[in-house]
Amino acid sequence: MKKKLLTAAIAAAFVVPMAAQANSGPTVYGVAHASVESLDRDERVSGDGTDLDTWQVRSRQSRVGIKGSEDLGNGLKAVYKMEFQIDIADTNGAGNVVSRNQYVGLAGGWGTFLLGRHDTPKKMMTISRDKFNTTLGDMNEVGFTNLAGAGLTANGGVFQDNRSNNAITYISPNFNGLTVAAQVSPRETDEDDGINDDGTVIAAKYVNGPLYIGAGYEDREYNGDDNTMTSMDDWDSWRIAGSYQIGDFNIGGLYEESDGWAHQDGVDAEVWQVSASYAFGNNVIKATYQV
C-alpha cells in the first residue's frame, strides 16, 4: 500500500536548554521544547474527503535525563544514561512521562556496548538527515496524529523509527569516517504473550567532509497471538539516507522500503523524501517533500 501525502505546516518553536552540571560525574540535562502549529490538510489519510484545518500547542520531545561515566582504568570506562520525555503541553492521555534511551554499558578503544532501552542503529545512522526532526514536519509524523482511519495503526507518519526494549547495542569506533552499529533485542517471555519481539538491526554511516551516507536494515519477529494481537505481524525494513553540503546549501534525501509496514499483514510501503536547506547567519531556510 502506498500513501502519497504533502503536508504544509507553520510552526513557531521555543527551545530552552536546561542548566547542566559542568563538573565531572553525573550530568543532569534536558530540553523544554514547545511549538504553536498550524495544520491545513485537504483530505484526511482515511480518504473520506474530510478537510482538516486546525492549530495546536504541542510539546516536541521535551525531555530530562541524567548521564555519566566512570573511568575503570586501562582505557575502559562504564557509561550510563536515563532519559525521560515529558509532555509540557498536555497529559497525553495516560500520562506525560515516557521512557527514552536508558542504558548501562562499557566503552573502550574497541567501541561501546550498551544494555537497556535504545534507539535502533537504523534510526541512529539516518535520522540526522531529517531536517524537520522533532517538529510537525518530522518524517515520522508529517502532520498525522494517527492512521487508524486508513485501517492501519502506527505512531504517526510513514518512516518507521523504533526504540528497542531489552536491547544489546554495539557501536564501533570511527574508522576514517565509517561507523557501524548492531543491535539485538531478545524476547524475554513465552511464545504466547503477544507483546515482546525478537529484533535484529544493523546499520552504518560514512562521513567525509561535505558527504554523509547512512543505511540500515531492521528485522522484527513478533510472537503475537492472532486471537488477541491481530495487528501484529513480522516485518522488516531497510533505509538509506544521504546529504551533501555545498557552501551554505545542503541537499539530502531518504528512502525506505518496508515489508509488513506498521506491523500490518500484507501491507508494504515505499517512501522517499528530498530536502534542501540554506544557512545565513544564525538563520536556516528548509524545505522537504515526502511521498
Side-chain angles (χ1 to χ4, degrees), residues 155-170:
N155 190 24
V158 287
F159 282 94
Q160 295 192 94
D161 275 333
N162 291 292
R163 182 175 290 120
S164 297
N165 296 325
N166 316 319
I168 304 169
T169 306
Y170 170 73

Side-chain angles (χ1 to χ4, degrees), residues 14-18 30-34 59-63 86 88:
F14 306 89
V15 181
V16 184
M18 295 178 61
V31 172
H33 183 184
S59 176
R60 290 293 179 182
Q61 295 190 26
S62 301
R63 54 198 180 272
I86 301 175
I88 63 174

Side-chain angles (χ1 to χ4, degrees), residues 96-154:
N96 68 339
V97 179
V98 179
S99 296
R100 289 173 59 87
N101 288 349
Q102 299 177 347
Y103 57 78
V104 63
L106 292 173
W110 37 263
T112 303
F113 270 105
L114 304 174
L115 301 177
R117 178 170 166 82
H118 202 279
D119 291 339
T120 66
K122 186 184 78 170
K123 177 181 179 181
M124 293 162 54
M125 300 300 179
T126 59
I127 195 171
S128 63
R129 301 308 94 184
D130 179 17
K131 290 182 170 59
F132 287 93
N133 186 33
T134 73
T135 72
L136 181 61
D138 194 302
M139 69 181 187
N140 297 305
E141 179 165 345
V142 287
F144 296 113
T145 56
N146 67 75
L147 303 181
L152 305 177
T153 56

Side-chain angles (χ1 to χ4, degrees), residues 64-84:
V64 64
I66 182 171
K67 62 182 178 180
S69 63
E70 183 70 24
D71 188 358
L72 302 178
N74 298 319
L76 187 67
K77 63 180 180 180
V79 296
Y80 61 90
K81 182 176 184 178
M82 291 173 285
E83 184 174 288
F84 299 88

